[in-house]
């Protein structure tokens, strides 16, 4: 079972989201391209796609380096990402694929700075993970409802124990055995992460270690969410 001592997920709630969180215009040689990033994930084709794990020891006030992992994969991808702040709403965005020359482009923010109540933020969302979620094209689950004592998937209810294990993440146990995380993906989305055997309660609750290898990761959407519309509106501003 792969685990990783990472600093990619914040342990304590912060006053605002990281600098990279938001909707951006990448100025590529082929023309402008949209980039959507929540606190913890890069979106692709409208859905959360790549987890970001901040590389320890490489960050100062302006530079942030990340390992990446594609949802559903057990290992890091051979692609690293660097964000370098060049202004209040500007950055250099570098993709470094193993064995290839890094590709660096400039980027300008299309969204307002993502403070604690912004739609792509993961921080300070309270108990938003409890409630009803709908399946997406990236899930086998059609409908999920979670409260503190039960989980209902597509009409089948299971008695469980649900507890916050860090900001933006619930740990779900059945008969004392950890079975899944429900993790805030930012925007309108969350990811149901089914554990493989071997995850202990201590590991589930550990705020400093990341489990990388899951039985499955299901992307779910909040039916009442409005962030998708806000993102689409921002992307229309590209020029």
């Amino acid at each position: 079972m792969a685990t990783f001592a990472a600093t990619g997920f914040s342990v304590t709630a912060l006053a605002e989201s990281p600098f990279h969180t938001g909707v951006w215009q990448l100025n590529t040689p082929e023309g402008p391209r949209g980039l959507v990033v929540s606190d913890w994930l890069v979106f692709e084709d409208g859905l959360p796609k790549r987890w970001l794990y901040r590389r320890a020891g490489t960050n100062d006030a302006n530079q942030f380096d990340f390992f990446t992992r594609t949802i559903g994969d057990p290992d890091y991808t051979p692609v690293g990402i660097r964000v370098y702040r060049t202004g209040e709403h500007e950055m250099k965005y570098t993709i470094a694929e193993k064995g290839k020359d890094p590709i660096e482009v400039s980027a300008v923010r299309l969204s307002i700075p993502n403070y604690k109540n912004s739609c792509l933020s993961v921080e300070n969302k309270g108990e938003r993970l409890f409630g009803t979620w709908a399946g997406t094209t990236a899930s086998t689950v059609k409908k999920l409802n979670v409260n503190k004592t039960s989980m209902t998937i597509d009409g089948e209810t299971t008695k469980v124990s649900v507890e916050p294990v860090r900001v933006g993440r619930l740990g779900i146990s059945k008969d004392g055995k950890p079975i899944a995380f429900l993790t805030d993906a930012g925007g309108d989305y969350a990811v149901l992460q089914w554990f493989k055997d071997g995850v202990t309660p201590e590991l589930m609750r550990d705020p400093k270690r990341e489990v990388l290898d899951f039985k499955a990761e299901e992307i779910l959407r909040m039916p009442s969410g409005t962030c998708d519309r806000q993102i689409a509106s921002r992307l229309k501003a590209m020029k």
Side-chain angles (χ1 to χ4, degrees):
M1 180 185 64
T3 60
F4 176 60
T7 56
F9 286 1
S10 177
V11 176
T12 56
L14 303 175
E16 61 180 81
S17 289
F19 175 75
H20 64 261
T21 303
V23 183
W24 298 83
Q25 175 180 312
L26 298 180
N27 300 311
T28 75
E30 295 77 28
R33 183 165 65 87
L35 172 70
V36 178
V37 191
S38 72
D39 289 4
W40 297 344
L41 281 149
V42 178
F43 283 51
E44 291 183 17
D45 301 319
L47 291 176
K49 180 69 173 182
R50 298 185 187 278
W51 293 103
L52 296 172
Y53 302 93
R54 197 170 67 228
R55 187 190 297 262
T58 62
N59 313 296
D60 59 24
N62 296 313
Q63 179 175 308
F64 310 91
D65 291 359
F66 299 96
F67 299 104
T68 65
R69 180 178 69 83
T70 302
I71 285 179
D73 287 350
D75 301 304
Y76 293 121
T77 59
V79 178
I81 289 175
R82 170 173 290 175
V83 169
Y84 189 84
R85 187 199 313 244
T86 57
E88 186 178 0
H89 303 291
E90 293 84 31
M91 68 174 174
K92 290 180 181 178
Y93 186 78
T94 304
I95 296 177
E97 187 172 352
K98 189 174 182 179
K100 297 183 179 180
D101 291 334
I103 298 172
E104 180 182 280
V105 298
S106 65
V108 61
R109 185 187 295 279
L110 299 172
S111 58
I112 61 173
N114 278 263
Y115 292 96
K116 61 184 180 181
N117 293 319
S118 67
C119 80
L120 279 163
S121 171
V122 168
E123 302 287 354
N124 296 298
K125 290 296 180 65
E127 295 192 344
R128 96 174 192 119
L129 289 169
F130 290 105
T132 299
W133 296 85
T136 67
T137 56
S139 69
T140 61
V141 173
K142 295 181 175 64
K143 186 177 181 180
L144 168 73
N145 183 273
V146 177
N147 60 48
K148 292 181 180 179
T149 59
S150 69
M151 175 173 64
T152 303
I153 296 177
D154 298 337
E156 183 175 340
T157 299
T158 303
K159 290 184 178 180
V160 294
S161 174
V162 182
E163 59 184 288
V165 292
R166 67 176 68 176
V167 172
R169 172 171 278 173
L170 301 177
I172 304 172
S173 301
K174 179 182 177 183
D175 299 326
K177 178 183 177 181
I179 59 172
F181 284 139
L182 183 62
T183 301
D184 197 331
D188 296 332
Y189 298 94
V191 183
L192 181 62
Q193 301 173 292
W194 293 109
F195 294 141
K196 290 185 173 181
D197 291 340
V199 175
T200 63
E202 291 75 21
L203 178 57
M204 181 183 74
R205 297 178 181 129
D206 192 327
K208 296 181 180 179
R209 286 196 295 168
E210 284 299 320
V211 179
L212 302 181
D213 190 5
F214 295 93
K215 189 182 300 181
E217 291 184 279
E218 312 259 14
I219 301 174
L220 306 170
R221 185 181 187 278
M222 184 182 296
S224 60
T226 62
C227 195
D228 281 349
R229 291 201 302 271
Q230 296 178 52
I231 290 169
S233 174
R234 296 294 180 181
L235 290 173
K236 287 181 181 178
M238 282 195 298
K239 54 186 178 180

